[in-house]
Amino acid sequence: NAGVTQTPKFRVLKTGQSMTLLCAQDMNHEYMYWYRQDPGMGLRLIHYSVGEGTTAKGEVPDGYNVSRLKKQNFLLGLESAAPSQTSVYFCASSHRGVAPGNEQFFGPGTRLTVL
Amino acid sequence: AQSVSQHNHHVILSEAASLELGCNYSYGGTVNLFWYVQYPGQHLQLLLKYFSGDPLVKGIKGFEAEFIKSKFSFNLRKPSVQWSDTAEYFCAAESSFQKLVFGTGTRLLVSP
């Protein structure tokens, strides 16, 4: 199993450009998440999904959109990139358990620079 | 707002030294707690987790953590670190069902 994969690994954008980050998981997990990691701030939740066709806002959703058309894929879109969106983006997935405490499995990350 | 605090941002140790990384959370009710590790160039991996039972939790690679409810703490410990433990360590709390709030992380450098 590949686990959680992300494409691309690196990307440089100019301010105002758009792009989509793709996350895929092969563990049949119901829940998927997008985080951003910034120095000194840890990981912050952008958006998440509890199932195919559903999405919800996390802690820092502004400037991002997401879609979960297929259970195994979770897309993160930047419609008009800004320098403040320079970050490392991590996707994660988890199984929907009957109780809290399920482990989230993380992808390798996408390093995005917006000039 | 619910939060997780890690007060040690950078820690430098020699091999065989003992490690303790602090983690405090601000939740009033039932909380599930995690420690994740990110080795250089790799993705986050789960070290250990606590959600009920024995407050002393043992994880992979010789790590353990103790949940002290009265202190709102979940400190990570290892009796003797190795060079391969060089990594960034994140404490996290489950704020609502399967949504994590992370601390800012602690970078550990172990010198051989």
Side-chain angles (χ1 to χ4, degrees), chain B residues 19-36:
Chain B
L19 169 72
E20 181 162 3
L21 301 182
C23 173
N24 290 91
Y25 61 93
S26 65
Y27 301 81
T30 302
V31 63
N32 302 303
L33 298 160
F34 304 77
W35 275 98
Y36 280 84

Side-chain angles (χ1 to χ4, degrees), chain B residues 44-58:
Chain B
L44 276 79
Q45 305 170 43
L46 182 68
L47 267 182
L48 47 81
K49 66 179 180 181
Y50 170 82
F51 53 92
S52 66
D54 189 343
L56 185 61
V57 181
K58 294 192 184 300

